[in-house]
């Protein structure tokens, strides 16, 4: 039982530090963008603000009306881009990312 005091100190330090870590994590989550180009497309389409941003860059087209929507909706714009035959460019992704980052 020589180590009991050390264990008690470890537990006490953990109990003291845990709220601070939780607060820091909450602050980071609050300041992070709500949507990114890594967000699944179906999540973007479920939010009217994000849907409008995406539609703007797709000439007003609603991606939910695309014939293959069910096949790609769980992927992100970033993941779909290489298969878009040049329709989704890096420049387009950068513009969408910047506008999505403004949604809080």
């Amino acid at each position: 039982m020589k180590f009991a005091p050390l264990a008690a100190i470890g537990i006490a330090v953990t109990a003291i530090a845990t709220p601070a870590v939780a607060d820091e994590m909450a602050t980071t989550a609050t300041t992070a963008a709500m949507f990114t180009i890594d967000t699944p497309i179906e999540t973007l389409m479920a939010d009217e603000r994000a849907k409008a941003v995406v539609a703007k860059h797709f000439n007003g087209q609603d991606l939910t009306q695309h014939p293959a929507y069910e096949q790609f909706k769980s992927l992100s714009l970033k993941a779909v881009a290489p298969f878009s035959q040049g329709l989704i460019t890096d420049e387009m992704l950068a513009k969408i990312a910047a506008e999505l980052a403004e949604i809080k």
Side-chain angles (χ1 to χ4, degrees), residues 54-62 87 92:
V54 174
K56 172 183 169 185
H57 294 280
F58 282 89
N59 296 321
Q61 295 178 7
D62 180 352
L87 178 66
M92 183 180 185

Side-chain angles (χ1 to χ4, degrees), residues 17 19 26-28 37 48 77 92:
T27 300
T28 301
I37 58 171
E48 289 302 318
L77 291 170
M92 183 180 185

Side-chain angles (χ1 to χ4, degrees), residues 28-37 39 97-98 100-104:
T28 301
T30 302
T31 59
M34 184 177 227
F35 302 110
T36 70
I37 58 171
T39 301
L100 289 175
E102 293 176 11
I103 299 172
K104 302 293 181 197

Side-chain angles (χ1 to χ4, degrees), residues 6-44:
L6 292 177
I9 291 171
I11 292 170
V13 169
T14 301
I16 292 168
T18 301
V21 171
D23 288 343
E24 183 178 324
M25 289 174 63
T27 300
T28 301
T30 302
T31 59
M34 184 177 227
F35 302 110
T36 70
I37 58 171
D38 291 311
T39 301
I41 293 169
E42 64 188 327
T43 303
L44 296 175

